């Protein structure tokens, strides 16, 4: 049963089906059907290295999670999923602009290949909007962050811009 | 081992009695084969795969068919003859899961407090006491007895919390029957069965059926209670991985609560009933 | 009793009324109707009483309601003395709630139909219904994203309203139709918020929030404190 359907209790993640509790290393710690039993060491789920950096969770499927360096003045805007591959999303985003508060158009600049990251920068080179692209099995998720001086209306505009890029990319 | 060999010798449910009106036709699938059900002017159902007519039989308020011209005899449920009972065919539900997983889930009680919360079970009453599981060698069926669980609302007819006694019986690879404490008639047992139609190895139409002693509830009330329980399981069933039921002993879960599942899987393997199962070690 | 509800346990629309009644702490009489497999809501007997031939039906005295937005509005007006579930003091607030009540019927027509097809074998135009369902969920996701940006946790503002109740069931049940919530993080947060409401009740396909059951020992804690020395 997928653990993503489970529930968190304290420091454990419990499976929705029988309530088996797993700790942060993926070891089973408690089986509700047998409350007195110490679960065998062999009952373990695969765990991965995770790091938190720049308001983003980074995961490595092998070895240690190595986040790319992010500017420290960013706030999360949204994570939006596209029904197409990451390179299609990257292409469309690179060909569009986002307008900042003063109406100045910001164009994308690729800042990293792995993972794919696009930075929309102001004239003085400060990151105004950062997009991290995550390629999944069925599509791509764009994790969008903006500089913390963006106000509400500007953030809504960024959200709408991401929907526009989705309409184009999915055609 | 031919995945199909044992499976094609059994009978399978494909419709409720009265589910198809005279002159009506319906397409469905069984063991990966497309079939058509037709009701003639008298309401008699026939089944065809486009080339041959398949045998049909009526039992437990359902129409059964088989790809074999000479299937093994259908299992017996003596309680179906007890006319004072109320017989409730609950209507088909489609689930994207292996037919074997649908059966195995029905045999499990450890999930009651988490999936059927405050109905069939509730925290902190999660402990599963030891029970007995045997193979009835004469009939070649899996039987689990002395199963008990503390339940907030065991049945539509149950007023309050009770310890419910259960007997589980698997008379065929894709049929699961439960006999449980019956609140209105404590010397008898309510019978609840799942008849599973395998569309293919990873999709099934489940036909639940009940034979109850309940003279208070309306038919709709009893159907709703059973559908509520089964639909709570459906999202679990559709997310179980791997999709096909692993039969390799190395993949068995070593806890006492799972004795019935372990016995069921071993029995399936012994009988070559591997349709819907994963037989390679991954 | 405040009203009688003609009800089907697996219906998302019926659940809107059951859920709202619980949140309002209002008692009602319930009549189970055999929607599936019996098709009782289309029987001559039922149609003679209720020509609409749909579920739920809400009856209170001479009042017979057949559309869930109307039922939710009547319940809010009749039983919510605080007036927050259906704000009537401000035309803009009222209109906003009504807009999303209107939207909720898109969810019923797409996600709801796709679910009936996946679960109960109802015949539908699968491709068209599924793409309509994804569009409706994406529209809700976009709106909830903007609400979050504006500091609001609910569909029509900073308090839950009947707009949230109307949109909740089919959104929560989309996995029954094969549409998971992984691509809809704003929706996931909002669903969690609805499920956390006082006197929230579930329906099949929507699990209880086991996180919220108190008094359970933290079985993960042992390990965390054991490994303190390593960090």
């Amino acid at each position: 049963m997928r653990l993503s359907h489970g529930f968190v209790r304290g420091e454990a993640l419990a499976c929705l089906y029988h309530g088996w509790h797993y700790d942060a290393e993926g070891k089973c710690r408690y089986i509700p059907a047998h409350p007195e039993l110490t679960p065998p060491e062999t009952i373990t789920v695969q765990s991965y290295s995770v790091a938190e950096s720049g308001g983003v969770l980074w995961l490595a499927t092998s070895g240690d999670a190595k986040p790319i360096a992010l500017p420290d003045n960013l706030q999360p805007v949204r994570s939006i999923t596209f029904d197409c591959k990451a390179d299609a999303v990257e292409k469309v985003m690179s060909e569009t602009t986002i307008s900042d508060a003063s109406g100045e158009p910001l164009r994308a600049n690729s800042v990293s290949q792995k993972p794919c990251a696009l930075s929309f920068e102001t004239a003085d080179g400060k990151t105004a909007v950062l997009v991290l692209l995550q390629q999944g099995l069925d599509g791509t998720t764009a994790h969008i962050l903006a500089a913390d001086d963006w106000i509400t209306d500007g953030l809504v505009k960024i959200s709408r811009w991401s929907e526009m890029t989705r309409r184009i990319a999915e055609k | 081992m031919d995945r199909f060999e044992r499976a094609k010798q059994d009978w399978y449910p494909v419709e409720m009695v009265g589910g198809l009106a005279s002159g009506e036709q319906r397409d469905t699938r069984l063991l990966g084969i497309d079939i058509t059900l037709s009701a003639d002017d008298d309401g008699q159902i026939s089944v065809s795969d486009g080339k041959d007519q398949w045998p049909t039989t009526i039992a437990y308020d359902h129409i059964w068919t088989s790809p074999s011209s000479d299937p093994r005899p259908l299992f017996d449920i003596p309680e179906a003859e007890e006319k004072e009972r109320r017989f409730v065919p609950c209507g088909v539900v489609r689930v994207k899961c292996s037919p074997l997983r649908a059966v195995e889930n029905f045999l499990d009680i450890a999930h009651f407090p988490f999936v059927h919360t405050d109905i069939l079970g509730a925290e902190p009453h999660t402990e599963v006491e030891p029970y007995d599981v045997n193979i009835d060698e004469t009939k070649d069926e899996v039987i689990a007895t002395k199963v008990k669980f503390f339940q907030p609302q065991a049945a539509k007819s149950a007023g309050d919390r009770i310890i419910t006694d259960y007997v589980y019986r698997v008379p065929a690879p894709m049929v699961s029957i439960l006999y449980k404490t019956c609140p209105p008639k404590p010397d008898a047992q309510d019978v609840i069965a799942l008849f599973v139609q395998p569309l293919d190895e990873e999709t099934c139409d489940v036909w639940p059926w009940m034979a109850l002693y309940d003279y208070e509830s309306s038919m709709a009330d009893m159907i709703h209670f059973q559908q509520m329980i089964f639909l709570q399981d459906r999202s679990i069933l559709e997310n179980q991985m791997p999709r096909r039921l692993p039969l390799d002993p190395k993949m068995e879960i070593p806890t006492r609560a799972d004795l019935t599942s372990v016995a069921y899987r071993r029995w399936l393997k012994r009988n070559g009933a591997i349709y819907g199962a994963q037989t390679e070690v991954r | 009793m405040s009203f009688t509800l003609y009800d089907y346990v697996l219906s998302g629309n019926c659940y809107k009324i059951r859920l709202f009644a619980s949140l309002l702490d209002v008692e009602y009489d319930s009549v189970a109707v055999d929607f599936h497999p019996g098709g009782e809501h289309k029987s001559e007997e039922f149609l003679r009483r209720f020509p609409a031939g749909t579920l739920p039906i809400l009856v209170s005295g001479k009042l017979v309601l057949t559309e869930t937005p109307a039922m939710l509005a009547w319940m809010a007006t009749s039983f919510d003395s605080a007036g927050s579930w259906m704000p009537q003091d401000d035309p803009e607030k009222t209109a906003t709630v009504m807009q999303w009540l209107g939207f909720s019927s898109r969810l019923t027509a797409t996600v709801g139909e796709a679910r009936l097809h996946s679960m109960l074998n109802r015949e539908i135009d699968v491709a068209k219904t599924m793409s309509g369902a994804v569009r409706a969920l994406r529209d809700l996701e976009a709106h909830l994203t903007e609400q979050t940006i504006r500091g609001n946790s609910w569909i029509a503002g900073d308090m839950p309203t009947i707009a949230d109740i109307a949109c909740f069931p089919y959104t929560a049940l989309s996995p029954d139709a094969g549409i998971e919530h992984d691509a809809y993080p704003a929706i996931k947060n909002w669903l969690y918020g609805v499920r956390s409401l006082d006197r929230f009740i579930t329906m099949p396909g929507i699990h209880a929030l086991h996180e919220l059951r108190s008094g359970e020992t933290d079985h993960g804690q042992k390990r965390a404190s054991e490994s303190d020395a390593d960090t």
Side-chain angles (χ1 to χ4, degrees), chain B residues 26 29 70 86 98:
Chain B
R26 186 166 71 79
R29 206 161 62 234
D70 183 27
R86 294 183 71 191
S98 158

Side-chain angles (χ1 to χ4, degrees), chain B residues 16 44 90 117 125 136 161 163 165 185 197-198 217 229 232 254 269 279:
Chain B
M16 276 171 48
Q44 292 275 80
C90 303
T117 312
H125 309 282
D136 176 329
R161 302 182 293 281
I163 304 263
D165 286 303
K185 210 174 190 281
Q197 171 190 350
S217 310
I229 301 297
Q232 286 175 333
K269 196 165 187 195
T279 43

Side-chain angles (χ1 to χ4, degrees), chain B residues 192-208:
Chain B
I192 301 153
L194 283 197
F195 305 140
V196 183
Q197 171 190 350
L199 296 162
D200 52 51
E201 295 200 72
E202 297 182 8
T203 320
C204 48
D205 271 355
V206 177
W207 303 88

Side-chain angles (χ1 to χ4, degrees), chain C residues 29-213:
Chain C
D29 281 317
S30 185
V31 177
V33 179
D34 181 10
F35 179 93
H36 172 85
E40 190 186 345
H41 60 304
K42 300 291 186 197
S43 69
E44 278 308 314
E45 202 186 316
F46 194 87
L47 289 170
R48 234 175 286 131
R49 275 200 79 186
F50 306 114
T54 54
L55 290 176
I57 308 271
L58 185 154
V59 177
S60 176
K62 288 209 168 62
L63 180 69
V64 178
L65 295 175
T66 62
E67 298 291 326
T68 53
M71 296 178 205
L72 294 171
W74 175 80
M75 289 168 74
T77 316
S78 307
F79 307 116
D80 175 30
S81 42
S84 64
W85 285 100
M86 173 73 182
Q88 312 225 48
D89 48 330
D90 176 348
E92 279 187 22
K93 283 190 190 152
T94 311
T96 305
V97 170
M98 297 216 45
Q99 170 167 293
W100 291 96
L101 287 176
F103 172 84
S104 70
S105 56
R106 268 180 66 193
L107 291 167
T108 306
T110 56
V111 184
E113 285 295 293
R115 177 175 170 266
L116 285 178
H117 166 73
S118 287
M119 280 173 23
L120 306 181
N121 297 341
R122 171 170 291 195
E123 302 250 342
I124 59 165
D125 178 338
V126 177
K128 186 169 173 210
T129 308
M130 289 296 276
S131 77
V134 170
R135 261 200 318 278
L137 291 172
R138 280 181 168 185
D139 285 350
L140 182 59
E141 172 74 11
H143 175 67
L144 288 171
T145 297
E146 294 185 12
Q147 285 295 85
T148 307
I149 288 171
R150 296 196 166 95
N152 289 327
S153 311
W154 304 96
I155 284 180
D158 56 5
M159 298 259 312
T161 62
I162 55 175
D164 299 282
I165 307 303
C167 293
F168 176 74
Y170 291 112
T171 307
L173 294 168
S174 70
D176 283 348
I179 304 175
E180 295 292 325
H181 298 134
D182 296 324
Y184 310 106
I187 283 178
K188 279 184 87 160
N189 284 342
W190 169 74
L191 292 175
Y192 197 93
V194 176
R195 292 160 74 205
S196 306
L197 289 170
D198 231 11
R199 287 190 301 269
F200 174 82
I201 54 168
T202 66
M203 74 162 275
I206 301 175
H207 294 285
L209 276 186
H210 299 303
E211 295 84 331
L212 300 184
R213 282 183 106 94

